[in-house]
Amino acid sequence: MTRTTRRAALAAACALPLALALPSADAEAKTPYVKPFMGWSSWSVESSSRSGYGTHWLNEGNIKNAADSLSSKLSSAGYKNLNIDAGWNFDYDWNFHTDANGIPDADKDRFPSGMPALSDYVHGKGLKLGLYGAAGLEQEVYNKNAPILGTDCHAQDIAVQPLTPTNKWGGNWKIDYSNPCAQDYLDSIVARYASWGIDFIKIDGVTKDNVEDIKAWSTAIDHSGRSMWLSASAWPVDIEAADGLKPYANGVRVDTDVECYCETTSSWTSSVDDRFTDLPKWLPKLAAPGYLADLDSMPINNNTGSGLQDGLSDTERQTVMTFWSMASSPLYVGGDIWFLDDKAKAILTNPEVIAVDQAAVLPKQIRSGDTQVWAKNIGKDTYLAVYNLGSSATDISVNFGDLGLSGTKRLRDLVDRKDLGTAKRSWTATDVPAHGSRLIKLS
């Protein structure tokens, strides 16, 4: 059976229109995006030890509630992606499962209506839907030696022998991509996802050893004919993998999980503050807009009333929004979005701060240490962010010459959305609170 014949059979089996399923002659290495995505992810809720949350929280009813909340509260500001993280094809005892052909399928207890119906619901709200997976061949698929759709191969044919553990936790088997059926297997998964209307795929546990996995997932997306954001994830991805992943992933996780795995979503030291040290190491490896730093979900959701709390002060929540936006990281909310509070909504929907993120321009770190200075140029304007990582309020002064600027500049505070007049040669952010920030436009 030729590769073209196999793909035609695969397309029919996945009920995907043939025009979308067959690869084009000029398939791109990855889906081109000009802006980082915005939305919400389920993992912060699933990771919390607070009563009522954790991995049992993930089910159809809660995801529909999240879709309702995202649509009504944040989508008008650009937050469109609803990304379901680990567990959607796990039972409540956390056993992974797939269908007879080794294609992940939604757990029937968690999602009794099935993924196509849930996708229709999410898309009906004007949103996009994302799913989670892991690098390598799942052991469950290998153990049952699942037949690969459209081929004469089985799962055990595409595993490296002797069996070799792969990914960050060594939980899957390394795939032998010298066998064409390996690509056909991932094609079968992504074709199924495309038939469901999936818009985003996160592949977790990525190390340098898994560059070929991300390449194969990217190729499968090309073959599906559907645009999907591909995120290479881990806690963090090995920086040694950065160059190899660049042609294939749209975003790459550059830091550990932001969640504290405690009764709140996160805390400043578990591990928001790590980003200020770790992002600079990755900046030389990145490229905007095609290959962006993923700083993980933002713990900006709920500091009041019922439900899971962020574990951050309002000052810290604004600093998260400012830092993520200066990095042009994807902006996706963590926490139980049903309980989104007014302050979180105000922080998340500020159009002037969002525009800094969506420009998809990488920043430069001008000053490190406890009083950090970052800048980036968008068009003819310079955007300046200062951060106080210390434990008490302080002034932070910036010489325009350090930004490559001279003369008098007009200043606008993007967070407060007000003009600050003009300054010549330098500017000082006064009384910046502990863990606080300022975001200024210089024109």
Side-chain angles (χ1 to χ4, degrees):
M1 185 180 289
T2 67
R3 291 183 66 80
T4 301
T5 304
R6 285 200 298 266
R7 289 196 183 112
L10 182 153
C14 290
L16 189 67
L18 189 60
L20 293 180
L22 291 176
S24 63
D26 57 348
E28 300 291 336
K30 59 185 175 184
T31 305
Y33 287 92
V34 296
K35 298 179 181 180
F37 78 85
M38 301 167 63
W40 171 86
S41 172
S42 69
W43 186 249
S44 290
V45 180
E46 294 181 68
S47 73
S48 176
S49 62
R50 182 181 172 115
S51 178
Y53 294 99
T55 57
H56 274 63
W57 180 93
L58 183 62
N59 61 47
E60 186 173 304
N62 284 332
I63 291 298
K64 285 185 174 181
N65 287 339
D68 294 344
S69 299
L70 185 62
S71 176
S72 63
K73 299 174 183 178
L74 295 178
S75 67
S76 62
Y79 294 84
K80 302 291 187 182
N81 271 68
L82 189 155
N83 294 335
I84 303 175
D85 211 272
W88 66 275
N89 64 319
F90 288 66
D91 64 25
Y92 282 113
D93 292 324
W94 212 244
N95 295 307
F96 177 92
H97 59 76
T98 61
D99 72 3
N101 294 106
I103 298 174
D105 54 351
D107 185 73
K108 290 181 172 56
D109 289 331
R110 293 182 186 271
F111 299 97
S113 299
M115 198 52 65
L118 181 63
S119 180
D120 287 346
Y121 186 90
V122 171
H123 285 103
K125 295 288 180 178
L127 305 174
K128 297 181 178 182
L129 184 62
L131 293 178
Y132 171 98
L137 179 66
E138 294 283 350
Q139 293 189 23
E140 182 260 359
V141 178
Y142 180 89
N143 290 342
K144 69 184 181 186
N145 201 21
I148 297 171
L149 275 176
T151 77
D152 298 324
C153 295
H154 290 72
Q156 293 180 10
D157 298 326
I158 65 170
V160 168
Q161 299 292 339
L163 290 173
T164 305
T166 192
N167 75 35
K168 200 83 168 183
W169 58 90
N172 289 354
W173 298 128
K174 185 173 178 63
I175 296 175
D176 176 10
Y177 287 105
S178 68
N179 184 337
C181 290
Q183 184 64 59
D184 291 323
Y185 173 58
L186 292 191
D187 285 358
S188 73
I189 296 175
V190 178
R192 181 69 53 79
Y193 290 179
S195 75
W196 294 344
I198 299 303
D199 307 287
F200 166 101
I201 298 175
K202 171 183 173 180
I203 300 301
D204 205 3
V206 174
T207 70
K208 185 178 180 180
D209 187 51
N210 300 120
V211 170
E212 287 299 304
D213 293 282
I214 296 300
K215 178 182 178 181
W217 280 97
S218 180
T219 300
I221 292 171
D222 292 341
H223 292 167
S224 79
R226 184 174 179 85
S227 296
M228 300 183 197
W229 181 285
L230 179 60
S231 179
S233 186
W235 353 276
V237 170
D238 293 346
I239 197 167
E240 294 81 7
D243 294 337
L245 294 171
K246 188 174 182 178
Y248 309 114
N250 300 104
V252 58
R253 270 282 299 278
V254 303
D255 220 313
T256 188
D257 288 353
V258 78
E259 294 87 6
C260 61
Y261 292 81
C262 61
E263 290 202 352
T264 61
T265 296
S266 185
S267 73
W268 181 257
T269 56
S270 295
S271 56
V272 169
D273 61 344
D274 290 342
R275 273 91 184 134
F276 295 89
T277 302
D278 293 336
L279 178 61
K281 303 171 188 175
W282 275 85
L283 285 174
K285 301 290 187 179
L286 303 172
Y291 186 49
L292 298 172
D294 185 337
L295 294 176
D296 204 6
S297 62
M298 299 185 295
I300 306 173
N301 184 75
N302 180 35
N303 265 353
T304 59
S306 302
L308 181 63
Q309 304 289 294
D310 293 337
L312 300 181
S313 68
D314 287 350
T315 294
E316 292 166 343
R317 296 200 295 178
Q318 180 59 62
T319 294
V320 166
M321 181 68 181
T322 297
F323 190 74
W324 266 240
S325 295
M326 280 293 287
S328 282
S329 170
L331 302 180
Y332 54 105
V333 185
D336 189 347
I337 195 171
W338 180 269
F339 294 102
L340 187 80
D341 64 29
D342 290 342
K343 181 62 176 178
K345 184 176 181 179
I347 291 171
L348 292 167
T349 60
N350 183 327
E352 297 187 39
V353 179
I354 290 174
V356 175
D357 177 82
Q358 295 291 285
V361 174
L362 297 177
K364 293 181 180 180
Q365 186 183 45
I366 308 300
R367 184 190 307 160
S368 60
D370 280 351
T371 54
Q372 295 204 1
V373 177
W374 292 68
K376 69 180 181 180
N377 298 320
I378 302 175
K380 296 181 179 180
D381 300 319
T382 297
Y383 292 77
L384 166 68
V386 299
Y387 305 97
N388 176 15
L389 307 185
S391 57
S392 59
T394 190
D395 296 345
I396 303 176
S397 296
V398 182
N399 292 318
F400 291 167
D402 293 339
L403 309 180
L405 303 175
S406 60
T408 300
K409 300 299 175 183
R410 298 193 307 274
L411 279 67
R412 180 169 176 82
D413 187 317
L414 301 188
V415 173
D416 289 342
R417 301 177 69 182
K418 65 180 182 182
D419 294 327
L420 302 180
T422 60
K424 188 174 183 179
R425 291 190 291 274
S426 68
W427 173 75
T428 298
T430 59
D431 200 31
V432 181
H435 306 167
S437 57
R438 299 278 194 273
L439 180 57
I440 306 297
K441 177 182 179 181
L442 303 175
S443 301

